[in-house]
């Protein structure tokens, strides 16, 4: 294998690790934003339930005041009824009493409805408050964990970038230019191993002479189909024996 290719293989390994760390660092804020968005949604739902419960209680309180006002009015009307001088006045007072009594009944019926509605609202609020408290603690713990992970990733990323600079400085400029060009084209996969005379990047079979040139290691060879930088690892003796079968000496 061409000695410069060993360096490029190391470089691609570093670039893969760097890309992985960069992706993870970029993903952590998105993850935090996602869980904070869910928390915010649950907070708004709790506030809506609280508002509904407050409106329920406010209406019940108003109805209680209305009932008291109607009862006081009925008391006055009955006093006036006793002082009525004509049947018409008496019937008018009675009619007003009946109206007030109907208003009281409507208010009491509505109060019963509101009481029935308030029970599930109160249960939802208590349940949501407990769940939200636990969720806030989990979110804060997750944020702390993400900050620690980001710090560790950034430290490792800085070290890898420094290591990359060292490796890149030992690679010929023309090969580095080729590597960067192919890496950009294939989203990081600038090299491809040749196995069974095929490029493992595009699976095209190499021409015999092209394959021989690669095996000689005298120059940098690229795939004639996909353009990736090729490398070849000759089989070991053990692999050759497995491929050719084990010979048994019989005497």
């Amino acid at each position: 294998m061409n000695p410069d290719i060993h360096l490029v293989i190391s470089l691609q390994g570093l670039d893969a690790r760097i890309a992985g760390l960069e992706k993870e660092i970029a993903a952590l804020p998105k993850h935090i934003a996602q869980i904070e968005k869910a928390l915010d949604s649950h907070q708004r739902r709790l506030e809506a339930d609280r508002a509904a419960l407050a409106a329920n209680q406010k209406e019940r309180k108003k109805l209680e005041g209305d009932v008291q006002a109607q009862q006081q009015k009925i008391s006055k009307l009955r006093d006036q009824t006793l002082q009525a001088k004509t049947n018409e006045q008496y019937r008018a007072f009675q009619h007003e009493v009946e109206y007030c009594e109907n208003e009281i009944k409507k208010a009491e019926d509505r109060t019963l409805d509101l009481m029935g509605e308030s029970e599930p609202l109160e249960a939802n609020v208590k349940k949501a408050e407990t769940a939200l408290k636990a969720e806030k603690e989990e979110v804060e713990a997750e944020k702390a964990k993400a900050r620690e992970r980001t710090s560790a990733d950034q430290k490792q990323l800085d070290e890898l970038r420094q290591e990359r600079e060292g490796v890149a400085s030992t690679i010929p400029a023309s090969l580095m230019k080729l590597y960067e060009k192919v890496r950009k084209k294939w989203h990081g996969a600038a090299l491809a191993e040749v196995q069974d005379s095929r490029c493992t990047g595009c699976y095209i079979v190499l021409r015999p002479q092209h394959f021989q040139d690669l095996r000689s290691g005298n120059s940098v060879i690229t795939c004639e189909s996909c353009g990736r930088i090729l490398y070849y690892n000759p089989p070991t003796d053990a692999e050759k024996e497995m491929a050719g079968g084990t010979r048994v000496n019989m005497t």
Side-chain angles (χ1 to χ4, degrees):
M1 183 187 296
N2 187 291
D4 290 335
I5 296 299
H6 283 289
L7 295 172
V8 179
I9 291 173
S10 298
L11 186 65
Q12 180 167 265
L14 288 170
D15 281 337
R17 292 168 65 189
I18 288 170
L21 285 170
E22 288 175 338
K23 184 177 180 180
E24 184 169 274
I25 290 171
L28 286 170
K30 294 178 182 178
H31 170 64
I32 295 303
Q34 188 176 16
I35 61 177
E36 284 184 331
K37 184 178 180 181
L39 179 65
D40 185 58
S41 174
H42 297 160
Q43 179 70 53
R44 289 199 303 272
R45 191 181 306 166
L46 172 59
E47 289 172 357
D49 285 344
R50 282 174 174 167
L53 181 59
N56 180 291
Q57 293 169 340
K58 183 179 180 180
E59 187 176 355
R60 282 164 59 185
K61 188 174 182 180
K62 179 180 180 300
L63 289 169
E64 288 174 4
D66 291 345
V67 167
Q68 289 178 356
Q70 294 293 347
Q71 287 173 338
Q72 291 172 357
K73 189 174 181 181
I74 288 173
S75 179
K76 291 179 181 179
L77 287 168
R78 283 177 175 163
D79 289 340
Q80 290 174 335
T81 300
L82 295 175
Q83 298 173 9
K85 296 179 179 180
T86 65
N87 288 336
E88 289 182 0
Q89 287 181 334
Y90 180 82
R91 284 193 295 270
F93 287 139
Q94 284 294 103
H95 180 72
E96 286 190 50
V97 168
E98 289 175 1
Y99 174 80
C100 291
E101 288 175 341
N102 285 332
E103 290 299 305
I104 289 174
K105 187 176 183 306
K106 289 178 183 177
E108 290 175 339
D109 289 343
R110 176 58 182 160
T111 299
L112 288 174
D113 291 339
L114 290 170
M115 290 174 66
E117 293 172 5
S118 70
E119 290 179 4
L121 282 173
E122 288 174 355
N124 287 342
V125 167
K126 289 180 180 178
K127 184 178 178 181
E129 286 174 341
T130 302
L132 194 63
K133 182 181 178 181
E135 188 176 358
K136 284 181 178 179
E137 291 174 355
E138 290 176 3
V139 168
E140 288 305 314
E142 192 71 16
K143 287 167 70 175
K145 183 179 177 182
R147 285 192 293 269
E148 291 175 5
R149 186 61 179 269
T150 300
S151 178
D153 284 352
Q154 189 61 57
K155 181 180 178 181
Q156 187 178 3
L157 183 60
D158 292 340
E159 292 172 354
L160 288 173
R161 283 173 174 167
Q162 188 174 359
E163 185 179 351
R164 185 191 191 277
E165 288 180 8
V167 174
S169 67
T170 64
I171 299 174
S174 58
L175 181 54
M176 270 300 299
K177 185 177 180 181
L178 173 63
Y179 170 78
E180 294 292 1
K181 179 182 177 181
V182 179
R183 185 167 77 100
K184 183 178 180 180
K185 177 182 178 182
W186 294 109
H187 309 289
L191 289 94
E193 184 178 3
V194 172
Q195 296 178 350
D196 298 326
S197 299
R198 288 180 182 273
C199 168
T200 55
C202 63
Y203 300 102
I204 296 298
V205 176
L206 275 64
R207 291 184 296 104
Q209 184 59 50
H210 205 54
F211 184 47
Q212 287 302 321
D213 292 341
L214 175 65
R215 293 182 63 182
S216 70
N218 294 326
S219 60
V220 174
I221 302 296
T222 57
C223 178
E224 294 176 311
S225 174
C226 66
R228 290 181 175 90
I229 300 170
L230 301 176
Y231 66 94
Y232 174 71
N233 286 314
T236 62
D237 291 339
E239 290 172 336
K240 289 178 181 178
E241 287 181 9
M242 290 179 65
T246 303
R247 293 184 179 179
V248 178
N249 294 324
M250 299 183 65
T251 57

